[in-house]
Amino acid sequence: LEFYSELAGTHYMKGGTPGKYPSFSDTGFDKVMPVDLYDPAKLFSGMSAEKSKRGLAVEINNGRAAMLGVFAFMSASKIEGSVPALSFIKPYAGDYMQP
C-alpha cells in the first residue's frame, strides 16, 4: 500500500490524506489488478452517505474493542489477577516490546 500510495498520488507525508488510496481504475492500475482495494465486489457502491458514516463508526468501534481485548490478554499474562475473566492465561516472562 505504501508503494501504491507513492505511485498513485500525493503521499500523506507530502500533503496527501492518510489512508486514502485512489481507485485502481483512476490510475490505470486496473490492467494489472482487476479489483479495487475498497469494495472489490461492488457491494457498497450504492450505499447512502448516512449508512456509510454509520458503517465507519461501527468499524472504528470494532477496532477499539479489538485493541482493548489485546491489552486485556497482555495485562492478564503479565499481572496475575488484573483481568479476573482471563485468570486461565499463563504468565509470560518475556518482553512484549522486544522481538
Side-chain angles (χ1 to χ4, degrees):
L1 290 178
E2 186 74 19
F3 179 71
Y4 176 68
S5 71
E6 291 183 18
L7 289 177
T10 306
H11 192 268
Y12 68 92
M13 295 294 287
K14 296 179 182 171
T17 304
K20 183 169 176 125
Y21 299 97
S23 172
F24 287 158
S25 59
D26 294 345
T27 60
F29 197 67
D30 58 338
K31 293 168 185 62
V32 178
M33 186 65 108
V35 296
D36 265 333
L37 295 170
Y38 175 75
D39 196 19
K42 307 289 185 225
L43 298 174
F44 305 108
S45 58
M47 187 186 301
S48 68
E50 182 179 297
K51 191 172 181 181
S52 178
K53 187 175 180 180
R54 183 186 179 286
L56 178 62
V58 167
E59 188 65 29
I60 289 171
N61 286 336
N62 285 344
R64 289 174 178 160
M67 287 187 282
L68 285 172
V70 167
F71 284 114
F73 274 92
M74 290 170 65
S75 298
S77 69
K78 280 294 195 182
I79 304 166
E80 191 174 337
S82 63
V83 185
L86 298 177
S87 59
F88 61 91
I89 302 291
K90 294 179 181 177
Y92 177 66
D95 187 359
Y96 291 122
M97 302 307 288
Q98 294 189 11

